[in-house]
Amino acid sequence: MSSKLWEVDPATRSKLQSLTKVHSNNRCVDCGAPSPQWASPKFGIFFCLACSGVHRSLGVHISFVRSVTMDAFKTIEIRKMEEGGNDAWKEMFDSHETNKTIGRIFDECTIAERYDSEAGEEWKERLTAKVEERSFDLATWKAERKAAAAGASKPAISSAQPSGRSTPQPSSNPSQKAQNEAYFASKAQQNASRPDTLAPSQGGKYAGFGSAPTPPPSSTPQAPRAEDFQRDPVAALTKGFGWLSSTVSKQAATLNEQVIKPNLNNLAHTDFAAQARQLGTTVGSSLQQGTQTVGSSINKFIDPDAQPQSGARAEPAKKDFWDSFGAPPKGPPEEKKGFWDDFSAAGEQKAKADERKSVGTSAMKAPPGAGQGKKSEEGAWGDW
């Protein structure tokens, strides 16, 4: 074992690991969980991680918690772990007279009832006396415990007066209490008159002075500051988006309440609807007249001679043309048929006269030798 009290050495760790294999120390003393890795040297017991949290909440004056593998143990604490044990502690608790009187056992009690009890205090004192190799006197221990409890309940008294009177005097003077209250009240008034914009070292107000309650935090999102971006940019951006959305929502609600709703109410009480119907009628009439004007313009472009008719729909002047459009041709009208017959006969006579002239010219013979020269010339060109 190492000479240093708080040094974690292999020998101490090995000793504690060997102790977890005897006296039911391989299971938590409180809940029975296997392989406990925490211990209380004051009781010499082993327990699990979950129960160690409850032991810590009781305070070190009741149960001092140490890790079996990570914390160092003093020499006297190792001795207590050797002399104690889960089984020995349970047997002592069940056999204690206070528990027998009220009829409770170890398994039916909570952790606080087990260790913050007279049985727990007696067990710790017995274990300490055994490790220190001294005898334990139960009657003496109970008397000392009773005297300590009575001394804690008595009020503080002053020493006896020289005249021999034993009348107890209060430890505090009422006039001194009034002076203290007056002094602190004056300090609070002085602090209230200090400015909030300066630091306390420069004459500003002290924060938290007196018993004034802390003002509740504002629920309205605030715009991020420059130091927020330096400390945490992501959080500052998130804060900025929240502030922007809150501001826009408030402005929209204000605009709706102060501008839009009052104007809608004013419009509801005026003749705006009647004016809108009158305007719609005027626009519809204008569109109808414009449509008729456009239709008349198109008809005039197609048939300039057409005359507009009032009332019934006007018929086009050249209705026969449009009815016969696409049908086979019928030839010229009867009153002009003789002219076209004379014109056709004149053309036929002219064609016959031209035919007689061409027959007389072809009957003429060519001079001798003309055909031979042309033939030889054609042969020469062919040879070439």
Side-chain angles (χ1 to χ4, degrees), residues 30-345:
D30 294 316
C31 67
S35 303
Q37 296 298 315
W38 298 85
S40 177
K42 286 191 174 184
F43 287 87
I45 56 176
F46 294 85
F47 40 77
C48 65
L49 176 61
C51 296
S52 68
V54 184
H55 277 259
R56 290 182 188 275
S57 65
L58 298 176
V60 295
H61 63 289
I62 296 177
S63 179
F64 187 67
V65 180
R66 307 294 293 174
S67 172
V68 175
T69 57
M70 296 181 291
D71 293 333
F73 282 68
K74 296 180 182 180
T75 304
I76 190 173
E77 293 176 344
I78 295 294
R79 293 286 308 278
K80 287 183 178 181
M81 298 303 298
E82 292 175 349
E83 298 295 336
N86 294 355
D87 286 342
W89 158 236
K90 288 182 178 180
E91 292 175 1
M92 188 271 176
F93 184 88
D94 291 337
S95 61
H96 197 269
E97 58 181 1
T98 57
N99 296 326
K100 286 184 177 180
T101 302
I102 60 179
R104 67 178 182 180
I105 60 176
F106 186 88
D107 294 335
E108 295 177 355
C109 297
T110 63
I111 294 180
E113 293 174 347
R114 295 168 184 170
Y115 300 95
D116 190 8
S117 62
E118 184 176 347
E121 294 297 326
E122 182 178 340
W123 169 257
K124 289 188 291 184
E125 188 63 26
R126 286 179 179 274
L127 191 60
T128 301
K130 189 175 183 179
V131 170
E132 294 176 355
E133 297 180 354
R134 58 180 175 85
S135 60
F136 175 75
D137 188 355
L138 180 59
T140 304
W141 176 79
K142 286 185 176 181
E144 293 177 353
R145 180 180 172 84
K146 185 176 181 180
S153 61
K154 290 182 180 180
I157 58 176
S158 61
S159 60
Q161 298 294 332
S163 61
R165 291 180 298 175
S166 59
T167 303
Q169 298 294 331
S171 58
S172 60
N173 190 358
S175 62
Q176 182 65 32
K177 180 179 180 181
Q179 293 177 4
N180 293 339
E181 292 180 354
Y183 172 78
F184 286 112
S186 63
K187 288 296 182 182
Q189 293 178 358
Q190 294 177 6
N191 184 67
S193 62
R194 292 172 176 264
D196 297 334
T197 57
L198 297 177
S201 60
Q202 300 177 358
K205 182 181 294 185
Y206 288 93
F209 187 84
S211 59
T214 304
S218 177
S219 59
T220 304
Q222 301 293 332
R225 299 171 296 180
E227 52 267 24
D228 296 336
F229 285 96
Q230 295 177 359
R231 183 170 55 253
D232 193 347
V234 177
L237 288 175
T238 305
K239 182 179 180 181
F241 285 129
W243 169 79
L244 179 61
S245 61
S246 177
T247 303
V248 172
S249 300
K250 288 185 176 180
Q251 294 298 331
T254 303
L255 180 64
N256 182 41
E257 293 294 335
Q258 298 181 1
V259 179
I260 298 178
K261 284 187 176 180
N263 291 334
L264 289 178
N265 293 333
N266 293 335
L267 290 176
H269 293 84
T270 59
D271 56 347
F272 177 77
Q275 295 177 4
R277 288 194 297 270
Q278 183 178 0
L279 179 61
T281 304
T282 304
V283 172
S285 178
S286 300
L287 291 175
Q288 183 177 5
Q289 293 179 2
T291 305
Q292 294 177 357
T293 303
V294 172
S296 301
S297 300
I298 294 175
N299 292 334
K300 185 177 293 185
F301 175 77
I302 297 174
D303 188 6
D305 298 335
Q307 298 295 330
Q309 298 180 3
S310 59
R313 184 177 178 182
E315 295 286 345
K318 297 183 178 181
K319 184 178 180 181
D320 296 339
F321 168 77
W322 295 107
D323 293 340
S324 62
F325 184 80
K330 298 180 180 180
E334 294 294 336
E335 60 273 13
K336 296 182 179 181
K337 189 174 182 181
F339 167 78
W340 289 107
D341 291 342
D342 296 341
F343 182 79
S344 177

